[in-house]
Amino acid sequence: MDTSQLLKGVLDLAVLAVLERGDGYGYDVVRGLRAAGLQEVGDASVYGTLRRLYNAGLLTSYVVPSEEGPHRKYYSLNAPGRDRLRETAKTWRAFAETMEGLVGAA
């Protein structure tokens, strides 16, 4: 099965979940997703998702100077982001339970 299509549907949730663990810049988030088992996630997809979530008011950002190149833009969850994470996680759990009921015996 091509998991990239599944990932597109849950990337917002996955990014919010990574940021719940702590603030991070773009590549931190990519590494967090890959460490969790989502090796197929593309850098550009994550950066686009971060920008979209930020523009939607679900993240805050701040810049930290880097000794190894350009400054890094860190993202963190704000209250609306935490609310969205809870709502989306609840929806995901219900969906996953439904799918498990359908394919669990297969």
Side-chain angles (χ1 to χ4, degrees):
M1 174 178 223
D2 180 12
T3 57
S4 65
Q5 291 302 312
L6 294 172
L7 185 57
K8 285 180 185 179
V10 296
L11 189 55
D12 286 9
L13 174 58
V15 167
L16 292 171
V18 167
L19 288 173
E20 182 184 39
R21 298 175 182 172
D23 297 359
Y25 57 95
Y27 196 65
D28 269 347
V29 176
V30 171
R31 284 192 306 227
L33 293 168
R34 290 180 180 161
L38 300 175
Q39 279 76 24
E40 307 86 13
V41 70
D43 297 9
S45 295
V46 173
Y47 285 100
T49 298
L50 287 167
R51 279 191 300 277
R52 194 168 34 71
L53 293 172
Y54 176 80
N55 289 336
L58 303 175
L59 304 176
T60 57
S61 70
Y62 56 94
V63 175
V64 175
S66 172
E67 295 175 9
E68 303 173 0
H71 298 327
R72 292 183 174 152
K73 185 175 186 177
Y74 279 75
Y75 293 92
S76 60
L77 281 182
N78 56 24
R82 283 187 288 281
D83 290 344
R84 175 71 60 88
L85 173 61
R86 279 193 301 275
E87 293 164 10
T88 309
K90 182 179 176 182
T91 301
W92 169 256
R93 286 186 199 99
F95 178 76
E97 185 176 313
T98 298
M99 290 305 297
E100 183 61 31
L102 286 170
V103 301

